[in-house]
Amino acid sequence: MAVGNASSTSAPPESKPQPGSRRSPSPHRKDMRCRTDAQVPKCFRSVKCPYPQAQTIHGEYGAINYSMVGAQDGEVVVCFHGLNGSRVLFEEFGEYISKQGNYRVLSFDLYGHGLSNAPKVDLCPATGCRRCSETMCCGAPRGRYDLQFFVDQTDELLSMLGLEEEAVNLVGFSLGGTIAIAFSQRFPARVKRLVAISPAGCLPKVPMSYYFLKAVWCCLIPLAPHVLCTCLYKRERFEKSLRGEGHADPEVVTNLWSRFVWQLYVKRGVASATLAICHRIPWFTLKPLFKDAGRHKRPVLLLWGEKDALNPPATVAAEVKSCFQNAQLLVVPGAGHIALCDRPRQVVLSILAFLRLPPAARMDANEIKLPAAPVRAVPRRPSTPGGPQGS
């Protein structure tokens, strides 16, 4: 069901959680924060929400948009999208995997993404200081937007769905791959198998903008919603800039523009949340965490796009693989950073073959073969209604 346009900027209608939910909703229940019609710039009031509404459940930090497909008694597969992405990245993946075996596929929007709430940012520099978080926001907790924040969200969602005692399989892309690894590190007994698609954490190049954010984050994060210039996102200018980068498909350009505008000018909190994530996720220094998670003997499948320019396999993939004692690395020819969208058939069938391995399988004795180049077995469409996913 599509969400209404900006002239109806309240949170989307709530969906009832699926049977099996156990944990009570947060006492500080919050829907997704959105601007009213009068607060949206006039030039953007006709923009429709680019994200489809699924199920809604309320966690400690507000609404979480999620979907669960497959057999009620199937093995659980939890999917994590990347930065600036949404659960839609794994929509067709879930539909396909759930029909190929006894699987239940759970995908959800991380806080600050898609149709999940973007709570205000906890600006306290001390990690784990909940006192500041709770007193600065009239009782409603603020989000830190670090790795443990998203691990907590995953743990809470699984508990609310009655899955806290069930061992699960994790599939994550980029930032989502890193969150999946962090979850397996904190809860080793709860993870059967782990798939990480170009996980972030050992990125080879530190951009200058990162140092700038580190220096001024305490001013930039709270000011972000107030300094956005609408002229930068006027449709004509946006389309011109994208065409200059080689994006010629009008539908893709329109979807990207709608997604950017809706997130920045209709939904509240996204700009600050994105900056907080960029500031608090250790994009370049997570090898120790990877090694700690990799001590467990669970099977691990690492997937990388051959042409991934953001997280190059030639310099990063082997280093990440060395952190896991029971892992296989597959490099997908011709694919970029978002290998699931560039080569969906090869990626999906590789993951399916991996999920069919016994939980105690040794990867050196059960090599996953990369399927042949794309055929129509697994259909492809844009990764989200808003275009490609982020990191």
Side-chain angles (χ1 to χ4, degrees):
M1 178 177 70
V3 180
N5 59 28
S7 62
S8 177
T9 53
S10 59
E14 179 183 352
S15 300
K16 294 181 179 179
Q18 293 188 355
S21 301
R22 296 180 187 173
R23 184 182 291 183
S24 299
S26 165
H28 304 300
R29 171 174 168 147
K30 277 189 172 290
D31 294 318
M32 184 181 66
R33 299 191 302 135
C34 284
R35 291 174 173 85
T36 64
D37 180 67
Q39 293 169 332
V40 176
K42 289 183 179 179
C43 56
F44 297 143
R45 288 180 187 174
S46 63
V47 176
K48 294 182 179 180
C49 176
Y51 301 106
Q53 176 71 42
Q55 301 266 356
T56 301
I57 199 165
H58 287 80
E60 181 177 3
Y61 296 91
I64 300 174
N65 186 47
Y66 78 97
S67 65
M68 178 94 80
V69 295
Q72 285 292 322
D73 61 343
E75 276 194 48
V76 178
V77 180
V78 185
C79 301
F80 302 83
H81 62 77
L83 178 65
N84 291 330
S86 78
R87 51 161 288 277
V88 183
L89 175 66
F90 289 99
E91 189 169 52
E92 287 197 349
F93 170 86
E95 292 170 359
Y96 184 82
I97 291 290
S98 63
K99 294 174 182 176
Q100 303 304 311
N102 195 33
Y103 301 108
R104 277 179 291 170
V105 182
L106 170 65
S107 58
F108 65 100
D109 292 331
L110 298 170
Y111 283 129
H113 297 75
L115 294 181
S116 288
N117 187 41
K120 293 182 178 180
V121 177
D122 178 2
L123 296 174
C124 179
T127 302
C129 180
R130 294 184 62 89
R131 183 177 180 181
C132 293
S133 168
E134 292 171 355
T135 58
M136 289 176 65
C137 200
C138 302
R142 293 180 176 235
R144 287 202 59 79
Y145 292 100
D146 55 12
L147 268 182
Q148 296 313 312
F149 175 73
F150 293 116
V151 170
D152 288 342
Q153 179 189 2
T154 308
D155 177 38
E156 182 182 38
L157 177 60
L158 289 172
S159 295
M160 288 190 294
L161 295 176
L163 301 172
E164 69 272 26
E165 296 181 1
E166 189 159 345
V168 299
N169 303 284
L170 305 181
V171 180
F173 160 66
S174 199
L175 170 61
T178 307
I179 296 169
I181 293 170
F183 186 93
S184 70
Q185 185 259 352
R186 195 201 292 184
F187 302 108
R190 294 173 61 181
V191 181
K192 284 185 178 180
R193 306 172 188 84
L194 172 63
V195 180
I197 307 170
S198 190
C202 298
L203 299 181
K205 294 180 181 179
V206 183
M208 291 302 298
S209 56
Y210 181 77
Y211 295 112
F212 176 75
L213 179 59
K214 284 289 184 184
V216 301
W217 68 271
C218 57
C219 299
L220 190 57
I221 289 175
L223 287 176
H226 308 289
V227 297
L228 291 170
C229 180
T230 57
C231 64
L232 295 177
Y233 292 94
K234 289 291 182 67
R235 184 163 183 159
E236 297 77 15
R237 180 170 182 170
F238 189 85
E239 289 178 349
K240 185 177 180 180
S241 66
L242 281 183
R243 289 196 180 100
E245 295 175 6
H247 299 277
D249 188 333
E251 183 180 359
V252 171
V253 172
T254 298
N255 286 337
L256 278 172
W257 176 76
S258 298
R259 192 178 77 173
F260 273 101
V261 167
W262 190 85
Q263 288 186 113
L264 294 176
Y265 295 100
V266 179
K267 183 180 176 182
R268 285 188 179 274
V270 174
S272 295
T274 301
L275 289 173
I277 293 169
C278 291
H279 168 57
R280 286 179 171 153
I281 297 293
W283 304 97
F284 317 98
T285 57
L286 278 177
K287 192 171 181 179
L289 182 141
F290 287 5
K291 282 187 172 181
D292 194 25
R295 292 192 181 99
H296 196 281
K297 294 181 180 180
R298 75 175 65 82
V300 176
L301 178 63
L302 301 171
L303 285 159
W304 239 276
E306 177 191 29
K307 297 181 178 180
D308 187 340
L310 178 64
N311 201 15
T315 54
V316 179
E319 181 182 8
V320 172
K321 181 179 182 295
S322 69
C323 298
F324 298 90
Q325 64 167 292
N326 187 25
Q328 181 183 345
L329 169 64
L330 281 180
V331 177
V332 184
H337 184 57
I338 317 175
L340 180 59
C341 296
D342 294 339
R343 295 291 184 270
R345 177 179 186 272
Q346 292 174 291
V347 171
V348 172
L349 293 183
S350 297
I351 294 174
L352 179 60
F354 174 73
L355 292 175
R356 287 171 171 167
L357 293 177
R362 292 297 305 173
M363 296 307 296
D364 52 8
N366 293 274
E367 184 178 359
I368 303 295
K369 299 292 185 181
L370 194 67
V375 183
R376 293 185 179 180
V378 179
R380 178 186 177 181
R381 67 186 182 203
S383 56
T384 72
Q389 300 286 317
S391 298

